[in-house]
Amino acid sequence: MAIWNNYGMKRRHFMQHMATAAATIPAMNFLSHVQANASTVANNKKACILMWMGGGPPTIDIWDLKPGSKNGGEFKPIDTAAPGVQISEHMPETAKVFDNLNVVRSMSTREADHGRGRYYMHTGYVPNPTVVHPTFGSVVSYEVGRERSALQIPSFVSVGGGSGQAGFLGMAHAPFVVGNDGQIRNAPDKETRDRLPGRLKMLDAVESNFIKSKRGELPSAHRDVYTNAVNLMTSHQMAAFDVDKAEPALGLEAETAATKAMYNPMPANGQAGGMMGRGNGFGQSLLMARRLVQVGVPFVEVNLGGWDLHNDVFNTLKNQRLPVLDRGISALVTDLKQRGMLDDVTIVWMGEFGRTPRINQNVGRDHWAASWSTMIGGGGLKNGQAIGATNADGNRVADNSKAYQPGDIWATVAYAMGIPLNTVHTSKRGRPMKLANGGTPIKELIG
Amino acid sequence: MKFVPKWTLAVALGASLAVLAGPGTSGLRADEAAEPDPSQMSVVEAVNHFIKVGYEDNEITPSEPASDEEWVRRVYLDVVGRIPTLEEAKEYLEDESPRKRSVLVDKLLESPDYIRNQTTIWTNNCIGRGTPRRVSRRGMEKFFREAFAKNRPWDEVVVDIVTAEGHFEENGAVNYTLAQLQMPDDAVQLTAKTTKLFLGMQVQCTQCHNHPFNNWQQAQFWEFNSFFRQVRKVDHRKTDPNTGRQVDDYSEVVTRDFNGPVYFEKRSGLMQVAFPKYMGKEVAPDAFDRRKEFGKLLVAADNGETPLIAKAFVNRMWGHFFGYGFTRPVDDMGPHNSPSHPEVLDRLAEEFVDSQYDVKKLIQWITSTDAYSLTSQYGEDNEVDDPGAGEVPLFSHMYVKSMQAEQLYDSLIVASNAHKSGRGGWEAQEQQRRRWMQQFVVAFDTDENDEATTFNGTIPQALMMMNSELIDKAVSIERGSFLFETFSKPGSEATKMQELYLAALGRRPTRSEANLAQRMVRSYGAANKAQAYQDLFWALLNSNEFIFNH
């Protein structure tokens, strides 16, 4: 029984053991789908980083300003590196790299409740009581993550949490939620790690009867998740979560002070990451996202909350939210570009919905889904554009403009990542589900 | 006789037609007469009847009844929120009385763990797991603890909550309101949450427009909202005697003088007014305390209609025991989302009202239904009954439920004997558990204060189960631990192995399981036997069978 006794280095045994365990589970064929050109996905470095703006950002004050309208608010637009595209004066750093990004100004998404909007924007589908649609990160995990056999950590990481469920694609594709410090809670210490092989052997023996006992798929999903957890625990790729750790074989270096400062600048008082207000972990999270992409994670979601600005919208934006956001976006774009990764990594920025063009009596803006903006860029797209438009007061998509749904954004991401657009998944009930709810890539972006 | 389902009329009509047809059709008449009449049945019989009709209509055969082992674990988890202790499991399994299932339910309903379980569930429902700012979790828990300890009628509890005012620890019920008043939002969140939690209706979208698929109108939202516009939250500060700084003191809910109409804006930009009005019943706008009027309307049973708070509670409670309620989700009832078993829901709700909203009675009824007694194993004849795949639940077998984080915590404590060594009083235990819970809470950072959990069967949960301090303690071999006590007693090793299974899974191992386990323990060598049993117990606690309530 040497396997568990001096387990230390012997990850391979471990994997063999887990592989045998996995083989006893009927492969997830019931989810089978027709996938054209699967080979185009293999061996690429494509990834998507989603910046999720929890609460619903006031895009009328960020990407689609309305100077001269009664809804215009306090901010002025400024020019960007993309000719003819203007954004908020409080996004100056982002403006400088905007030739790598695009704004889609004619989102029209019908769901203005947090829970429903979160679901719709993440999945492309409106909530339905009889089915749980996979959030798009889970779709990428399923389509791309499975192909990356060298990837030992989860193929969908959510920094800061709350990104939805894997639904009918299975628990193994659920987001792996970590805090923005990258700390993995309950990671094993040496003793626990040494005892793991023996324990897992016992576990395998103890729980296989229950899996075979016809009680639905939860018991076998439990085993899949354990397999992923064990892979994670024993992998060198864990270094991706720790910005101070080098793992040369994986191309990871310990991040320099300069890089860290670019994402998360030192304020005058010298305290690291001392941006005021909530969200000062945003830069650190994006840096971690870049490292995760480097080791092959195809989908990382980074959360920045605090956008539910029913009150005092302008002060909060100007003093708290936008400085954090501006710095984060520009650092990520600059860093990815310097490393030659920007053409492979699609950046998406969105929240549940936008906010009312009308300014309410509390100098706030309420929920608004009828006409708002998302941002998308990198990924080898035709960048530096403003797609679509709203009318002069911002409360409708302009007459000559095509209205976009989240499915169109995700279809664009799928296109950029090489996921075939005719991919169809099958719900547990046997209903065919089109990729991104049948959305179409945005024509101007894919050229 | 309040309960006259439509088909009783059909039978009556059929019978009279038979009479008209004359004596030649007496066979038909006999058949019709044999048809059971649910209105004459007891509530449990009627529920059994209607659920059986569902099996027949869908041409399925229900699963076999659950074994005592399966059932006892389930009922402990559902009623008291934890697995049975070794002693409790043994006692039940050795009991040979034919009525032992209902006797156990009655016993559990009288235990302090029942109060704790319901208190946890309702505190989470009302204020979430991550306590919002300036809300007293202790106050909220105290309110529910007293309510469930005295088995207070549910209608009184709801009325207390929606009308509460005062200091957040003196009257703990106010914490529900405080938790919904995190932002100055004209009580929009309070309106939406109250409707959803206590009336089982989701109307939050109608704040801005008419509901897309049910008949709720935007005006109705604001009429409801009008009841809550006298509510005001006051946060008191005090001077810290040590530092001289101002620090948070208590918060309270007060009723302010407000009797005007509420204004809201239609999509068209038109301003409208709304007055307090509940389901068509108006209240004088100058009513002294509008929430008190709201409370009266909530429980009023006009025209023999069952109040919505009864239906909402029954649906939620059924969902608690079966994993699925009669609607999905349990708090989105209404004409757009018809229930799977309307007769069962209606009958239970009516009887619940007739029982003076007796929560314990409702639990007794639900747990003594045939459906609740079935195994979670399905067969070929009912594998289509799979609500996990999106099918309408038919309750032809028990559905496998994932343990809630609190259930898991309490079960690990019990399985590893930690409940025996002194853990301090209620408050200290609650605090320990709460601290542990925080690792799984993910806040969404919105005005609704909503949150998700990473205790959802994904990797963080698996890591906690494999590596955490909690699990280390559970498999500890130090004096006083479960393993230590078990193995320092006299007795054969085979018996001790059985106890490991009993403690973790509430059942003894099968012969082949026992053989396999023995082989594995032996493979560790005599010198490592303690480690071997530790690892076996670790495996049992990490197994799917442990983590699922089935």
Side-chain angles (χ1 to χ4, degrees):
Chain A
M1 280 305 298
I3 299 177
W4 57 272
N5 240 347
N6 51 7
Y7 167 67
M9 302 293 119
K10 296 195 175 172
R11 182 159 193 286
R12 209 178 305 120
H13 281 292
F14 213 110
M15 298 305 293
Q16 276 162 0
H17 163 77
M18 291 315 291
T20 338
T24 61
I25 309 164
M28 301 176 85
N29 290 335
F30 56 96
L31 300 169
S32 70
H33 60 277
V34 189
Q35 190 187 354
N37 305 323
S39 58
T40 58
V41 178
N43 297 323
N44 67 33
K45 293 174 172 173
K46 301 286 184 196
C48 175
I49 295 176
L50 167 63
M51 302 184 191
W52 179 257
M53 303 294 118
T59 56
I60 191 171
D61 299 313
I62 309 172
W63 308 119
D64 187 17
L65 281 78
K66 296 294 170 190
S69 160
K70 63 184 186 308
N71 296 334
E74 295 181 4
F75 302 160
K76 294 185 188 60
I78 54 169
D79 287 337
T80 68
V85 182
Q86 289 192 315
I87 62 173
S88 171
E89 59 180 325
H90 297 291
M91 298 288 285
E93 300 300 316
T94 303
K96 289 179 199 158
V97 296
F98 210 79
D99 49 334
N100 302 291
L101 302 171
N102 311 278
V103 54
V104 181
R105 286 184 175 145
S106 51
M107 296 302 294
S108 188
T109 57
R110 73 181 262 186
E111 297 294 347
D113 166 69
H114 288 292
R116 296 181 64 91
R118 191 184 301 129
Y119 188 98
Y120 185 44
M121 293 308 294
H122 273 103
T123 64
Y125 287 85
V126 293
N128 175 321
T130 64
V131 60
V132 179
H133 300 95
T135 180
F136 204 75
S138 298
V139 172
V140 171
S141 168
Y142 185 79
E143 289 299 326
V144 182
R146 282 191 312 171
E147 310 281 333
R148 299 194 177 167
S149 48
L151 189 63
Q152 293 153 349
I153 60 179
S155 43
F156 173 15
V157 178
S158 168
V159 189
S163 4
Q165 294 172 266
F168 50 76
L169 296 181
M171 286 305 265
H173 299 284
F176 175 51
V177 180
V178 296
N180 59 25
D181 55 2
Q183 282 218 335
I184 313 287
R185 271 181 209 269
N186 298 311
D189 58 21
K190 174 147 191 332
E191 198 209 327
T192 329
R193 208 187 312 252
D194 289 348
R195 296 193 61 171
L196 209 47
R199 289 178 165 182
L200 289 170
K201 197 156 181 253
M202 293 265 198
L203 177 60
D204 187 33
V206 164
E207 71 172 9
S208 48
N209 279 343
F210 197 70
I211 292 178
K212 285 182 234 147
S213 70
K214 296 199 91 167
R215 292 177 211 259
E217 59 185 36
L218 282 175
S220 65
H222 176 264
R223 175 174 283 183
D224 293 346
V225 168
Y226 267 62
T227 309
N228 287 352
V230 169
N231 285 348
L232 173 81
M233 279 158 63
T234 51
S235 173
H236 291 295
Q237 294 170 358
M238 285 276 274
F241 290 102
D242 185 348
V243 296
D244 293 320
K245 212 164 192 170
E247 194 64 63
L250 301 170
L252 289 178
E253 61 216 39
E255 301 300 333
T256 63
T259 307
K260 284 193 226 169
M262 177 168 77
Y263 279 93
N264 213 9
M266 296 271 193
N269 66 15
Q271 276 184 335
M275 280 288 194
M276 65 179 108
R278 289 176 293 185
N280 52 22
F282 185 57
Q284 161 116 344
S285 306
L286 289 173
L287 178 52
M288 197 198 316
R290 189 263 288 157
R291 292 171 65 90
L292 288 165
V293 168
Q294 276 181 296
V295 301
V297 175
F299 199 99
V300 184
E301 175 165 350
V302 173
N303 286 267
L304 177 62
W307 297 101
D308 202 8
L309 299 170
H310 293 282
N311 312 292
D312 198 19
V313 57
F314 303 112
N315 285 324
T316 317
L317 284 179
K318 166 168 78 184
N319 299 326
Q320 295 178 23
R321 311 322 293 142
L322 294 184
V324 173
L325 179 67
D326 183 40
R327 176 61 72 157
I329 294 176
S330 65
L332 181 68
V333 171
T334 308
D335 194 15
L336 289 175
K337 196 161 194 181
Q338 277 168 3
R339 290 168 191 271
M341 295 167 69
L342 189 59
D343 282 349
D344 285 326
V345 181
T346 309
I347 298 170
V348 176
W349 178 101
M350 59 167 65
E352 298 97 303
F353 34 69
R355 306 198 76 85
T356 41
R358 195 174 71 91
I359 299 159
N360 68 24
Q361 67 267 37
N362 301 321
V363 202
R365 297 187 190 267
D366 304 317
H367 304 179
W368 186 256
S371 51
W372 61 291
S373 306
T374 57
M375 188 271 278
I376 180 169
L381 297 168
K382 280 181 70 182
N383 293 321
Q385 304 183 64
I387 311 289
T390 50
N391 65 357
D393 286 332
N395 52 20
R396 260 185 307 118
V397 168
D399 289 340
N400 57 354
S401 208
K402 180 169 157 44
Y404 293 101
Q405 276 79 49
D408 301 323
I409 301 290
W410 294 123
T412 310
V413 172
Y415 176 90
M417 295 187 72
I419 301 171
L421 293 165
N422 59 0
T423 301
V424 174
H425 300 117
T426 308
S427 84
K428 288 177 187 167
R429 240 175 156 183
R431 274 208 321 241
M433 297 282 182
K434 290 181 182 168
L435 186 83
N437 199 7
T440 326
I442 295 173
K443 195 171 80 246
E444 293 88 334
L445 294 179
I446 66 174
Chain B
M1 191 180 69
K2 286 164 64 176
F3 190 72
V4 187
K6 267 180 248 151
W7 72 268
T8 324
L9 294 173
V11 171
L13 188 63
S16 51
L17 285 175
V19 173
L20 287 176
T25 55
S26 58
L28 172 68
R29 203 182 309 173
D31 285 351
E32 296 286 10
E35 197 73 36
D37 176 0
S39 67
Q40 301 302 312
M41 298 175 182
S42 75
V43 55
V44 174
E45 287 167 352
V47 170
N48 289 342
H49 168 78
F50 287 121
I51 288 185
K52 197 164 138 245
V53 169
Y55 303 156
E56 285 159 8
D57 290 349
N58 289 278
E59 298 176 343
I60 59 169
T61 314
S63 294
E64 294 293 310
S67 66
D68 276 348
E69 286 88 349
E70 188 180 350
W71 191 85
V72 70
R73 190 174 196 271
R74 172 192 307 167
V75 79
Y76 267 87
L77 276 165
D78 290 341
V79 179
V80 295
R82 60 167 177 82
I83 59 172
T85 66
L86 183 61
E87 293 76 18
E88 287 165 341
K90 277 188 184 163
E91 187 188 333
Y92 177 79
L93 297 178
E94 281 156 18
D95 186 349
E96 285 177 1
S97 138
R99 289 189 56 248
K100 65 180 186 173
R101 290 197 174 182
S102 64
V103 169
L104 177 60
V105 170
D106 294 349
K107 191 179 109 183
L108 294 180
L109 288 173
E110 293 311 311
S111 83
D113 287 354
Y114 161 74
I115 302 164
R116 183 161 189 247
N117 186 34
Q118 288 297 336
T119 299
T120 301
I121 292 170
W122 277 95
T123 303
N124 288 345
N125 284 344
C126 285
I127 65 174
R129 286 189 163 107
T131 315
R133 287 188 58 242
R134 307 299 299 247
V135 171
S136 165
R137 184 165 212 95
R138 222 168 70 157
M140 191 83 249
E141 283 174 344
K142 184 160 164 279
F143 171 79
F144 279 122
R145 206 153 65 222
E146 283 169 10
F148 288 108
K150 293 186 190 141
N151 197 30
R152 291 187 62 203
W154 182 248
D155 55 338
E156 287 182 27
V157 175
V158 174
V159 170
D160 271 7
I161 292 172
V162 300
T163 61
E165 53 185 305
H167 187 296
F168 72 174
E169 272 169 2
E170 284 159 14
N171 180 9
V174 300
N175 287 289
Y176 166 75
T177 301
L178 291 176
Q180 321 311 323
L181 293 178
Q182 292 291 300
M183 300 220 190
D185 68 347
D186 295 332
V188 162
Q189 168 59 12
L190 180 60
T191 310
K193 177 86 174 187
T194 303
T195 323
K196 186 168 156 177
L197 187 58
F198 298 116
L199 301 174
M201 297 191 307
Q202 301 207 9
V203 297
Q204 61 271 32
C205 336
T206 56
Q207 175 192 348
C208 310
H209 53 84
N210 293 343
H211 199 288
F213 10 84
N214 71 28
N215 47 14
W216 262 77
Q217 305 284 313
Q218 188 186 4
Q220 267 175 297
F221 182 92
W222 293 103
E223 286 160 7
F224 257 56
N225 175 265
S226 305
F227 285 105
F228 298 101
R229 293 297 276 273
Q230 294 172 325
V231 175
R232 205 161 68 86
K233 166 189 179 187
V234 183
D235 292 332
H236 295 273
R237 307 265 288 167
K238 64 178 176 194
T239 309
D240 184 324
N242 298 322
T243 62
R245 288 214 191 111
Q246 287 281 300
V247 292
D248 285 355
D249 193 8
Y250 69 98
S251 295
E252 66 175 333
V253 170
V254 298
T255 304
R256 70 184 174 120
D257 189 18
F258 169 85
N259 56 16
V262 160
Y263 297 92
F264 65 96
E265 188 180 337
K266 299 277 278 185
R267 268 278 163 95
S268 58
L270 230 61
M271 290 306 282
Q272 304 266 308
V273 288
F275 296 95
K277 194 166 159 192
Y278 177 83
M279 306 292 173
K281 283 174 266 181
E282 289 187 37
V283 169
D286 57 355
F288 178 67
D289 184 337
R290 288 186 182 179
R291 288 191 302 158
K292 290 232 160 62
E293 301 301 318
F294 183 70
K296 285 182 209 154
L297 292 166
L298 277 184
V299 297
D302 294 352
N303 317 320
E305 292 225 347
T306 313
L308 286 170
I309 55 164
K311 283 195 178 188
F313 188 77
V314 164
N315 198 25
R316 190 176 278 276
M317 196 54 110
W318 186 274
H320 170 78
F321 282 93
F322 286 91
Y324 295 92
F326 302 110
T327 61
R328 252 192 277 187
V330 290
D331 52 13
D332 189 10
M333 302 166 79
H336 64 295
N337 193 11
S338 42
S340 61
H341 294 73
E343 305 93 338
V344 179
L345 173 60
D346 287 348
R347 179 69 184 266
L348 280 169
E350 281 166 23
E351 301 259 358
F352 182 51
V353 174
D354 288 350
S355 76
Q356 321 287 329
Y357 292 85
D358 186 331
V359 176
K360 288 188 181 178
K361 270 234 169 79
L362 178 63
I363 293 176
Q364 285 165 330
W365 296 333
I366 293 177
T367 51
S368 43
T369 58
D370 289 346
Y372 186 73
S373 75
L374 301 176
T375 173
S376 56
Q377 270 184 291
Y378 50 79
E380 271 170 35
D381 289 336
N382 64 340
E383 66 186 351
V384 295
D385 180 11
D386 185 3
E391 302 294 341
V392 172
L394 298 170
F395 307 110
S396 73
H397 58 94
M398 180 47 70
Y399 306 122
V400 172
K401 306 187 280 270
S402 299
M403 273 196 210
Q404 297 293 304
E406 293 92 347
Q407 287 178 317
L408 176 92
Y409 182 90
D410 291 348
S411 297
L412 278 177
I413 297 286
V414 157
S416 56
N417 253 4
H419 64 292
K420 284 193 186 157
S421 51
R423 287 194 303 144
W426 173 300
E427 188 61 35
Q429 291 175 33
E430 284 294 314
Q431 257 184 24
Q432 273 177 21
R433 188 174 74 172
R434 203 176 310 142
R435 258 201 308 277
W436 177 85
M437 284 297 306
Q438 286 315 306
Q439 66 181 303
F440 299 114
V441 179
V442 180
F444 281 127
D445 218 0
T446 65
D447 59 348
E448 285 171 16
N449 250 326
D450 40 0
E451 59 189 21
T453 172
T454 56
F455 191 88
N456 56 0
T458 59
I459 291 173
Q461 183 186 327
L463 291 176
M464 186 281 297
M465 289 301 293
M466 289 195 274
N467 307 321
S468 68
E469 199 190 332
L470 188 66
I471 204 81
D472 283 351
K473 275 200 188 134
V475 302
S476 154
I477 44 176
E478 297 194 353
R479 187 171 291 276
S481 70
F482 169 69
L483 287 176
F484 180 89
E485 296 301 321
T486 304
F487 284 93
S488 49
K489 278 188 309 205
S492 73
E493 239 175 83
T495 318
K496 290 170 181 177
M497 174 112 51
Q498 284 192 350
E499 300 217 326
L500 260 55
Y501 268 81
L502 264 176
L505 307 181
R507 66 173 178 90
R508 298 190 168 84
T510 64
R511 186 180 293 269
S512 70
E513 281 174 333
N515 287 339
L516 181 59
Q518 263 161 11
R519 266 205 312 279
M520 288 192 296
V521 167
R522 236 177 277 134
S523 75
Y524 277 61
N528 297 324
K529 197 177 265 177
Q531 279 195 7
Y533 279 110
Q534 265 191 312
D535 288 0
L536 176 62
F537 199 47
W538 181 96
L540 288 167
L541 297 178
N542 269 277
S543 70
N544 42 27
E545 191 172 346
F546 178 80
I547 193 77
F548 293 118
N549 180 2
H550 49 91

